[in-house]
Protein backbone atom coordinates (compact mmCIF):
# COMPACT_ATOMS: atom_id res chain seq x y z
CA UNK A 1 0.00 0.00 0.00
CA UNK A 2 2.82 2.38 0.93
CA UNK A 3 5.90 1.92 -1.20
CA UNK A 4 9.19 3.69 -0.52
CA UNK A 5 11.85 3.40 -3.19
CA UNK A 6 15.40 4.62 -2.75
CA UNK A 7 14.20 7.60 -0.73
CA UNK A 8 16.68 10.29 0.14
CA UNK A 9 16.31 13.64 1.82
CA UNK A 10 18.79 16.25 3.00
CA UNK A 11 18.63 19.36 5.09
CA UNK A 12 21.34 21.47 3.46
CA UNK A 13 24.36 19.21 3.22
CA UNK A 14 23.08 16.87 5.93
CA UNK A 15 21.64 13.72 4.42
CA UNK A 16 18.86 12.69 6.78
CA UNK A 17 17.35 9.84 4.76
CA UNK A 18 19.72 7.86 2.62
CA UNK A 19 18.38 5.29 0.20
CA UNK A 20 15.39 3.93 2.13
CA UNK A 21 13.50 1.05 0.57
CA UNK A 22 10.44 -0.33 2.29
CA UNK A 23 6.96 -1.51 1.56
CA UNK A 24 4.04 -1.49 3.94
CA UNK A 25 1.20 -3.76 3.03
CA UNK A 26 -2.44 -3.29 3.82
CA UNK A 27 -3.26 -4.40 7.35
CA UNK A 28 0.36 -4.49 8.36
CA UNK A 29 1.68 -2.91 11.57
CA UNK A 30 5.27 -1.74 11.25
CA UNK A 31 7.30 -0.23 14.06
CA UNK A 32 10.03 2.20 13.22
CA UNK A 33 12.76 2.29 15.82
CA UNK A 34 16.19 3.86 16.04
CA UNK A 35 18.31 6.41 17.87
CA UNK A 36 17.45 10.09 18.16
CA UNK A 37 18.23 11.90 14.92
CA UNK A 38 18.17 8.75 12.79
CA UNK A 39 15.39 10.15 10.62
CA UNK A 40 12.26 8.43 11.95
CA UNK A 41 10.06 11.53 12.13
CA UNK A 42 11.38 12.80 8.83
CA UNK A 43 10.44 9.51 7.17
CA UNK A 44 6.89 9.66 8.53
CA UNK A 45 6.57 13.29 7.45
CA UNK A 46 7.71 12.40 3.94
CA UNK A 47 5.18 9.56 3.74
CA UNK A 48 2.24 11.84 4.31
CA UNK A 49 3.56 14.76 2.32
CA UNK A 50 4.41 17.13 5.15
CA UNK A 51 8.01 17.18 3.96
CA UNK A 52 9.59 17.23 0.52
CA UNK A 53 12.26 14.76 -0.55
CA UNK A 54 14.80 15.00 -3.34
CA UNK A 55 15.57 11.45 -4.32
CA UNK A 56 13.55 8.32 -4.92
CA UNK A 57 9.83 7.94 -4.66
CA UNK A 58 7.03 7.28 -2.23
CA UNK A 59 3.71 6.02 -3.49
CA UNK A 60 0.45 5.34 -1.68
CA UNK A 61 -1.70 2.91 -3.66
CA UNK A 62 0.35 3.84 -6.71
CA UNK A 63 -0.08 7.61 -6.29
CA UNK A 64 3.18 9.52 -5.88
CA UNK A 65 3.44 11.50 -2.66
CA UNK A 66 4.78 14.95 -3.40
CA UNK A 67 4.39 17.73 -0.83
CA UNK A 68 4.04 20.25 -3.67
CA UNK A 69 1.00 18.59 -5.20
CA UNK A 70 -2.17 20.62 -5.08
CA UNK A 71 -4.05 17.48 -4.15
CA UNK A 72 -1.67 16.49 -1.34
CA UNK A 73 -4.65 16.84 1.01
CA UNK A 74 -6.03 13.65 -0.54
CA UNK A 75 -2.95 11.73 0.55
CA UNK A 76 -3.16 13.22 4.04
CA UNK A 77 -6.74 12.05 4.29
CA UNK A 78 -5.78 8.57 3.28
CA UNK A 79 -2.70 8.45 5.47
CA UNK A 80 -3.42 10.15 8.79
CA UNK A 81 -0.82 11.17 11.32
CA UNK A 82 -0.86 11.16 15.11
CA UNK A 83 1.85 13.18 16.83
CA UNK A 84 3.60 13.01 20.17
CA UNK A 85 1.84 16.19 21.28
CA UNK A 86 -1.81 15.78 20.66
CA UNK A 87 -2.37 18.87 18.50
CA UNK A 88 -6.01 19.27 19.48
CA UNK A 89 -7.87 22.53 19.02
CA UNK A 90 -7.90 23.91 22.58
CA UNK A 91 -11.17 25.82 22.23
CA UNK A 92 -13.13 22.87 20.89
CA UNK A 93 -14.56 19.96 22.81
CA UNK A 94 -13.44 16.40 22.16
CA UNK A 95 -16.42 15.83 19.90
CA UNK A 96 -15.92 19.11 18.04
CA UNK A 97 -12.28 18.20 17.47
CA UNK A 98 -13.32 14.89 15.96
CA UNK A 99 -16.10 16.35 13.81
CA UNK A 100 -14.03 19.21 12.41
CA UNK A 101 -12.14 17.29 9.70
CA UNK A 102 -15.06 15.35 8.23
CA UNK A 103 -17.19 18.51 8.03
CA UNK A 104 -14.60 21.01 6.81
CA UNK A 105 -12.30 18.84 4.76
CA UNK A 106 -14.61 16.11 3.53
CA UNK A 107 -17.84 18.10 3.37
CA UNK A 108 -19.78 15.63 5.49
CA UNK A 109 -22.98 16.93 7.08
CA UNK A 110 -22.65 18.03 10.71
CA UNK A 111 -25.36 15.58 11.77
CA UNK A 112 -23.71 12.59 10.19
CA UNK A 113 -20.19 13.57 11.31
CA UNK A 114 -21.46 14.09 14.86
CA UNK A 115 -23.11 10.71 14.94
CA UNK A 116 -19.97 9.00 13.67
CA UNK A 117 -17.81 11.11 15.99
CA UNK A 118 -19.75 9.88 19.02
CA UNK A 119 -19.30 6.29 17.96
CA UNK A 120 -15.59 6.72 17.36
CA UNK A 121 -15.04 8.47 20.68
CA UNK A 122 -16.96 5.70 22.41
CA UNK A 123 -14.75 3.14 20.65
CA UNK A 124 -11.64 4.72 22.20
CA UNK A 125 -13.27 4.73 25.64
CA UNK A 126 -14.32 8.38 25.75
CA UNK A 127 -18.10 8.12 25.70
CA UNK A 128 -18.24 10.12 28.93
CA UNK A 129 -15.80 12.83 27.83
CA UNK A 130 -17.19 14.00 24.50
CA UNK A 131 -18.07 17.47 25.69
CA UNK A 132 -14.86 18.08 27.59
CA UNK A 133 -12.27 20.53 26.37
CA UNK A 134 -8.70 19.29 25.90
CA UNK A 135 -7.48 21.00 29.06
CA UNK A 136 -10.10 19.09 31.04
CA UNK A 137 -8.69 15.79 29.80
CA UNK A 138 -5.62 13.81 30.85
CA UNK A 139 -2.77 13.38 28.38
CA UNK A 140 -3.87 9.82 27.65
CA UNK A 141 -7.43 10.97 27.01
CA UNK A 142 -6.22 13.78 24.77
CA UNK A 143 -4.14 11.36 22.76
CA UNK A 144 -7.17 9.09 22.38
CA UNK A 145 -9.14 12.10 21.08
CA UNK A 146 -6.30 12.69 18.60
CA UNK A 147 -6.56 9.07 17.46
CA UNK A 148 -10.34 9.42 17.20
CA UNK A 149 -9.85 12.54 15.11
CA UNK A 150 -7.58 10.62 12.75
CA UNK A 151 -10.09 7.75 12.54
CA UNK A 152 -12.94 10.14 11.75
CA UNK A 153 -11.30 10.83 8.39
CA UNK A 154 -11.56 7.11 7.60
CA UNK A 155 -7.90 6.78 6.65
CA UNK A 156 -6.40 3.74 4.98
CA UNK A 157 -3.35 3.98 7.19
CA UNK A 158 -2.25 5.85 10.29
CA UNK A 159 1.29 7.03 11.04
CA UNK A 160 2.11 7.48 14.73
CA UNK A 161 5.15 9.52 15.81
CA UNK A 162 5.99 8.55 19.40
CA UNK A 163 2.33 8.67 20.46
CA UNK A 164 3.05 7.83 24.09
CA UNK A 165 6.35 9.63 24.69
CA UNK A 166 4.76 12.75 26.15
CA UNK A 167 2.56 10.81 28.56
CA UNK A 168 2.97 10.05 32.23
CA UNK A 169 3.90 6.37 32.55
CA UNK A 170 0.55 5.38 34.03
CA UNK A 171 -1.30 6.76 30.98
CA UNK A 172 0.77 4.98 28.34
CA UNK A 173 -1.16 1.71 28.59
CA UNK A 174 -4.58 3.14 27.71
CA UNK A 175 -3.24 4.64 24.48
CA UNK A 176 -1.34 1.48 23.53
CA UNK A 177 -4.52 -0.52 24.20
CA UNK A 178 -6.43 1.59 21.68
CA UNK A 179 -3.63 1.12 19.15
CA UNK A 180 -3.60 -2.60 19.74
CA UNK A 181 -7.34 -2.76 19.07
CA UNK A 182 -6.83 -0.87 15.82
CA UNK A 183 -4.10 -3.32 14.84
CA UNK A 184 -6.41 -6.24 15.57
CA UNK A 185 -9.10 -4.67 13.41
CA UNK A 186 -6.64 -4.64 10.51
CA UNK A 187 -5.66 -0.97 10.38
CA UNK A 188 -2.43 -0.35 8.50
CA UNK A 189 -0.07 1.44 10.88
CA UNK A 190 3.48 2.74 10.94
CA UNK A 191 4.53 3.53 14.48
CA UNK A 192 7.63 5.28 15.77
CA UNK A 193 7.96 4.06 19.33
CA UNK A 194 10.34 3.19 22.11
CA UNK A 195 7.77 0.81 23.63
CA UNK A 196 9.58 -2.41 22.81
CA UNK A 197 7.06 -4.74 24.43
CA UNK A 198 4.36 -3.20 22.29
CA UNK A 199 6.57 -3.48 19.20
CA UNK A 200 7.30 -7.11 19.94
CA UNK A 201 3.74 -8.13 20.77
CA UNK A 202 1.64 -6.04 18.41
CA UNK A 203 3.63 -5.16 15.32
CA UNK A 204 4.31 -7.51 12.44
CA UNK A 205 7.58 -6.02 11.41
CA UNK A 206 10.28 -3.73 12.74
CA UNK A 207 12.50 -1.37 10.79
CA UNK A 208 15.62 -0.19 12.60
CA UNK A 209 16.79 3.15 11.28
CA UNK A 210 20.29 4.48 11.78
CA UNK A 211 21.83 7.54 10.11
CA UNK A 212 18.94 7.65 7.67
CA UNK A 213 19.33 4.04 6.56
CA UNK A 214 17.51 0.85 7.42
CA UNK A 215 20.21 -1.02 9.30
CA UNK A 216 18.05 -4.02 10.12
CA UNK A 217 14.50 -5.16 9.53
CA UNK A 218 12.40 -8.26 9.92
CA UNK A 219 9.55 -9.88 11.83
CA UNK A 220 9.23 -8.09 15.18
CA UNK A 221 9.57 -11.03 17.49
CA UNK A 222 12.59 -12.35 15.66
CA UNK A 223 14.43 -9.06 15.20
CA UNK A 224 13.74 -7.75 18.70
CA UNK A 225 14.59 -11.02 20.42
CA UNK A 226 17.70 -11.77 18.46
CA UNK A 227 19.06 -8.73 16.57
CA UNK A 228 21.91 -9.47 14.20
CA UNK A 229 23.06 -5.88 13.93
CA UNK A 230 25.41 -4.87 16.78
CA UNK A 231 24.22 -1.29 16.89
CA UNK A 232 20.62 -2.40 17.07
CA UNK A 233 21.55 -4.68 19.95
CA UNK A 234 23.16 -1.71 21.74
CA UNK A 235 20.16 0.44 20.99
CA UNK A 236 17.76 -2.14 22.42
CA UNK A 237 19.85 -2.45 25.56
CA UNK A 238 19.71 1.29 26.06
CA UNK A 239 15.96 1.69 25.51
CA UNK A 240 15.00 -1.28 27.62
CA UNK A 241 17.34 -0.02 30.31
CA UNK A 242 15.62 3.37 30.43
CA UNK A 243 12.14 1.87 30.71
N1 LIG B 1 13.63 21.19 9.74
C1 LIG B 1 14.87 20.70 9.88
N2 LIG B 1 15.95 21.41 9.48
C2 LIG B 1 17.21 20.92 9.60
N3 LIG B 1 17.49 19.70 10.10
C3 LIG B 1 16.47 18.95 10.51
C4 LIG B 1 15.11 19.40 10.43
N4 LIG B 1 14.30 18.44 10.91
C5 LIG B 1 15.11 17.43 11.29
N5 LIG B 1 16.40 17.73 11.04
C6 LIG B 1 17.56 16.85 11.31
O1 LIG B 1 17.35 15.64 10.64
C7 LIG B 1 17.80 14.55 11.42
C8 LIG B 1 16.68 13.55 11.60
O2 LIG B 1 15.67 14.14 12.40
P1 LIG B 1 14.35 13.37 12.82
O3 LIG B 1 13.52 14.33 13.58
O4 LIG B 1 13.76 12.74 11.63
O5 LIG B 1 14.98 12.24 13.78
P2 LIG B 1 14.22 11.23 14.72
O6 LIG B 1 14.77 9.88 14.40
O7 LIG B 1 12.76 11.41 14.64
O8 LIG B 1 14.76 11.66 16.17
P3 LIG B 1 14.01 11.66 17.61
O9 LIG B 1 14.05 10.23 18.09
O10 LIG B 1 14.87 12.53 18.46
O11 LIG B 1 12.62 12.17 17.42
C9 LIG B 1 18.33 15.13 12.71
O12 LIG B 1 19.73 15.24 12.63
C10 LIG B 1 17.70 16.49 12.76
O13 LIG B 1 18.51 17.39 13.43
MG1 LIG C 1 11.30 12.03 15.98
Amino acid sequence: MIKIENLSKSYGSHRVLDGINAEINQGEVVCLIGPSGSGKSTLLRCINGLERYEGGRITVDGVTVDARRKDIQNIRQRVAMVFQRFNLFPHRTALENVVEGPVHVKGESLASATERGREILASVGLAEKMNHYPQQLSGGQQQRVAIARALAMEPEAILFDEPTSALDPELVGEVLAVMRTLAEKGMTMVIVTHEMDFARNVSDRVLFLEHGRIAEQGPSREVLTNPRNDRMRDFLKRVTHVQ
Side-chain angles (χ1 to χ4, degrees):
M1 193 199 142
I2 300 171
K3 194 167 181 186
I4 303 163
E5 296 165 277
N6 203 19
L7 177 71
S8 65
K9 163 155 189 84
S10 303
Y11 287 111
S13 61
H14 180 194
R15 185 162 277 221
V16 180
L17 298 175
D18 190 7
I20 304 263
N21 288 290
E23 223 168 311
I24 291 122
N25 301 312
Q26 189 169 354
E28 209 179 8
V29 179
V30 174
C31 279
L32 198 55
I33 65 173
S36 180
S38 57
K40 306 178 298 293
S41 296
T42 306
L43 178 56
L44 287 195
R45 292 169 60 80
C46 286
I47 294 174
N48 92 334
L50 285 171
E51 201 80 68
R52 285 166 62 173
Y53 53 90
E54 306 88 43
R57 201 156 87 107
I58 302 175
T59 53
V60 173
D61 290 333
V63 179
T64 302
V65 179
D66 179 342
R68 291 162 298 182
R69 283 172 82 118
K70 286 207 191 74
D71 61 353
I72 190 66
Q73 201 58 43
N74 290 339
I75 298 274
R76 297 211 189 110
Q77 269 177 44
R78 286 158 61 182
V79 182
M81 186 128 164
V82 172
F83 300 90
Q84 182 175 356
R85 303 240 159 236
F86 331 116
N87 297 80
L88 299 175
F89 298 113
H91 303 298
R92 295 198 179 141
T93 64
L95 184 58
E96 286 165 355
N97 265 282
V98 172
V99 161
E100 201 268 350
V103 170
H104 290 102
V105 181
K106 280 191 144 179
E108 188 173 346
S109 77
L110 183 60
S112 141
T114 301
E115 191 184 325
R116 280 198 316 113
R118 287 180 197 283
E119 283 168 17
I120 296 169
L121 280 167
S123 79
V124 299
L126 294 174
E128 311 296 315
K129 304 286 179 186
M130 302 205 190
N131 299 318
H132 284 54
Y133 289 89
Q135 71 197 33
Q136 300 171 315
L137 299 171
S138 72
Q141 290 166 342
Q142 289 183 55
Q143 190 60 300
R144 286 185 280 145
V145 175
I147 294 172
R149 199 173 57 169
L151 290 172
M153 296 301 279
E154 301 181 305
E156 291 167 40
I158 309 183
L159 315 177
F160 294 84
D161 194 353
E162 300 200 34
T164 59
S165 300
L167 300 177
D168 291 338
E170 74 271 24
L171 303 178
V172 168
E174 64 191 52
V175 172
L176 293 181
V178 165
M179 292 168 64
R180 179 194 272 267
T181 305
L182 289 178
E184 284 163 359
K185 285 185 187 157
M187 178 59 81
T188 308
M189 310 201 275
V190 183
I191 306 165
V192 175
T193 186
H194 295 298
E195 297 290 336
M196 292 305 144
D197 287 338
F198 177 85
R200 190 179 296 108
N201 296 325
V202 179
S203 71
D204 301 301
R205 203 144 55 88
V206 164
L207 307 182
F208 174 65
L209 219 61
E210 196 194 36
H211 303 309
R213 296 192 186 150
I214 297 177
E216 179 153 356
Q217 63 172 310
S220 308
R221 207 162 274 279
E222 195 177 305
V223 167
L224 292 174
T225 312
N226 197 5
R228 281 161 295 168
N229 181 298
D230 289 345
R231 291 176 311 268
M232 175 158 171
R233 204 172 299 132
D234 289 346
F235 171 78
L236 289 178
K237 263 189 213 141
R238 271 182 284 134
V239 285
T240 39
H241 189 66
V242 199
Q243 274 172 354

